[in-house]
Amino acid sequence: MALTGGEIRLDRGHEGRVAYLTLDHGKYNIITWETRQVMADRFAEIDADDEIKVVVVQGAGEHFSSGGDIAGFMEVDPIDFTDLGQNVTAPARSPKPVITAVDGYCFGVGLELALSTDIRVATRRAEFALPEMRLGMIPGSGGTQRLARLIGLARAKYHVMTASRINAQQAGDWGLVANVVEDRAALDAEVERIVGVLLGFSPLAARTAKEVLDKGVDAPLYSGIELERKAYSMLRSSNDFAEGVAAFTEKRAPKFQGR
């Protein structure tokens, strides 16, 4: 199948500083094998564009994504599965903050995509699941590992091994999502609020914070603290830090340049 790119729309807002990636593939935004590669291509484009500071991933219509194209997986050569997850989890490797807006279903590879982003916000009707066990399979794009690190091993084992759904309240209580809001309108408003906050910060500091958090969480505490200390020292010599201090002293809004 040729890649059209239409299944993942890329729009820009806030004077080109925000990239909006919208899953748009049928009622349930099915993620096909081809869609995975489109995701990687979209993020390659975003990561190479210095004007883009923040990324938002969302689903068109009533659902974020019900998961992958199950029948289509049988048409893929098994050798191609050795790199499974490298494309759809491109948000985790992006140096830019990535927000996911979840409404309705967020299942299977859709959840794995969301888990690879930095900040997740959901509506009260959102539902999360890794249902691969129903097919005689397990999640293969980071789902088992990222979910366990977010909600704890015991809960992750239960929900992966029984293919049970996680409702929005549980997702919020367990830290799977940062915020739970009433409906889609409130979801869009909350995402824009977070976007506005992130745009006001130094892109260099945002990139550094993401890297330190991601790399430090799996390291021993002393190693994580050492990583943090060295990153702090690096930012101390940045122009953005000097600008931040000057703006604070002069009681004005900072003008960060990302350097």
Side-chain angles (χ1 to χ4, degrees), residues 12 21 34 44 50 151 155 159 164 182 210 237-238:
R12 298 179 63 156
L21 286 178
E34 291 76 20
D50 291 337
I151 70 174
R155 287 172 177 153
H159 284 282
S164 301
E182 192 62 34
K210 176 172 179 173
S237 62
S238 70

Side-chain angles (χ1 to χ4, degrees), residues 13-210:
H14 293 269
E15 299 178 333
R17 295 180 297 163
V18 180
Y20 294 88
L21 286 178
T22 305
L23 298 172
D24 192 2
H25 193 193
K27 180 178 180 180
Y28 296 105
N29 294 320
I30 298 294
I31 297 176
T32 65
W33 193 263
E34 291 76 20
T35 306
R36 288 171 172 266
Q37 186 54 49
V38 174
M39 179 63 70
D41 293 343
R42 292 286 187 247
F43 266 94
E45 179 181 348
I46 289 168
D47 293 348
D49 191 333
D50 291 337
E51 291 299 312
I52 296 175
K53 310 301 183 187
V54 180
V55 186
V56 175
V57 180
Q58 57 192 355
E62 298 180 4
H63 301 285
F64 179 72
S65 174
S66 65
D69 176 17
I70 296 172
F73 270 66
M74 299 306 295
E75 301 173 4
V76 179
D77 194 315
I79 191 64
D80 292 332
F81 281 87
T82 57
D83 293 325
L84 183 70
Q86 289 302 305
N87 40 30
V88 78
T89 58
R93 297 186 299 279
S94 175
K96 303 178 183 187
V98 185
I99 306 165
T100 299
V102 180
D103 190 22
Y105 296 159
C106 185
F107 297 164
V109 67
L111 176 52
E112 291 178 302
L113 167 62
L115 289 172
S116 72
T117 66
D118 305 306
I119 299 171
R120 290 164 295 280
V121 184
T123 63
R124 294 195 183 279
R125 64 184 291 270
E127 294 183 275
F128 305 83
L130 293 171
E132 286 83 354
M133 290 290 288
R134 300 183 186 278
L135 304 174
M137 181 50 77
I138 67 168
S141 297
T144 62
Q145 301 306 299
R146 287 195 168 97
L147 188 66
R149 283 163 172 75
L150 279 171
I151 70 174
L153 182 58
R155 287 172 177 153
K157 279 187 174 182
Y158 174 77
H159 284 282
V160 170
M161 296 175 73
T162 66
S164 301
R165 297 184 184 186
I166 300 170
N167 63 42
Q169 181 175 338
Q170 290 172 318
D173 291 344
W174 297 348
L176 176 56
V177 299
N179 296 319
V180 177
V181 298
E182 192 62 34
D183 52 26
R184 185 58 183 259
L187 178 66
D188 293 341
E190 177 64 4
V191 167
E192 286 303 300
R193 183 192 69 80
I194 297 171
V195 165
V197 171
L198 293 173
L199 287 177
F201 294 152
S202 159
L204 178 60
R207 181 168 67 246
T208 304
K210 176 172 179 173

Side-chain angles (χ1 to χ4, degrees), residues 208 212 227-237 241:
T208 304
V212 169
L227 176 64
E228 178 188 83
R229 184 186 66 79
K230 290 182 176 179
Y232 183 95
S233 298
M234 181 275 292
L235 288 175
R236 171 62 181 82
S237 62
F241 179 68

